[in-house]
Amino acid sequence: MDEAADALRPFGYYEPRVRSRTSRDDPNWVVRLRIQPGEPVRMETVDVQLSGAGSKQAALSALAPASTLQPGARLDHAAYELLKANLLRTALDLGYLDARLTRRELLVDPPRRKASAYLALDTGGR
């Protein structure tokens, strides 16, 4: 049951109720799970900071507002990872070969059902 609960975390569900029932159907065992995901963790803060020579590039500035990772939205770990990847990829595509994430934090507070994401990209020079 722990595995089922853990599998829901990337989708923002940190307090599911999982019930299981096993039965035997010779020669196999059958496990049935009943999962109630509970209330999702919601994004409270999404803070993306840009610095370096490319910090004013429109393509970089547009990434955070276009992301599904927004305040009030359900926490989605894949959206967080995608935003990180898009920041780096876009900086590289624009010729900022030394670009790096200087801050990448995803803070989750399950009891409050809140999460905050903090990303800082330093583009470096061209």
Side-chain angles (χ1 to χ4, degrees):
M1 289 195 301
D2 288 341
E3 292 87 359
D6 289 346
L8 292 172
R9 286 185 174 181
F11 304 101
Y13 296 99
Y14 279 71
E15 296 178 349
R17 286 183 41 198
V18 180
R19 294 186 304 192
S20 67
R21 198 173 80 202
T22 59
S23 61
R24 186 162 173 109
D25 185 13
D26 281 329
N28 302 315
W29 283 94
V30 177
V31 177
R32 297 181 202 284
L33 298 177
R34 179 171 290 238
I35 301 171
Q36 293 176 318
E39 290 295 316
V41 169
R42 300 231 173 246
M43 295 304 302
E44 184 171 50
T45 304
V46 178
D47 182 25
V48 177
Q49 300 292 318
L50 303 173
S51 63
S55 63
K56 303 294 184 210
Q57 292 282 335
L60 286 171
S61 300
L63 291 173
S67 170
T68 58
L69 194 70
Q70 297 293 324
R74 178 181 47 81
L75 168 60
D76 182 346
H77 289 251
Y80 170 73
E81 294 297 329
L82 182 61
L83 180 54
K84 287 190 328 184
N86 284 343
L87 285 166
L88 284 172
R89 181 188 44 78
T90 301
L92 290 173
D93 288 349
L94 292 170
Y96 298 97
L97 304 181
D98 293 328
R100 63 188 178 93
L101 290 169
T102 58
R103 184 176 184 191
R104 50 189 180 279
E105 292 181 298
L106 180 60
L107 307 174
V108 181
D109 185 351
R112 286 186 51 233
R113 293 189 188 98
K114 298 289 181 189
S116 295
Y118 300 96
L119 296 169
L121 176 77
D122 181 356
T123 65
R126 278 194 170 150

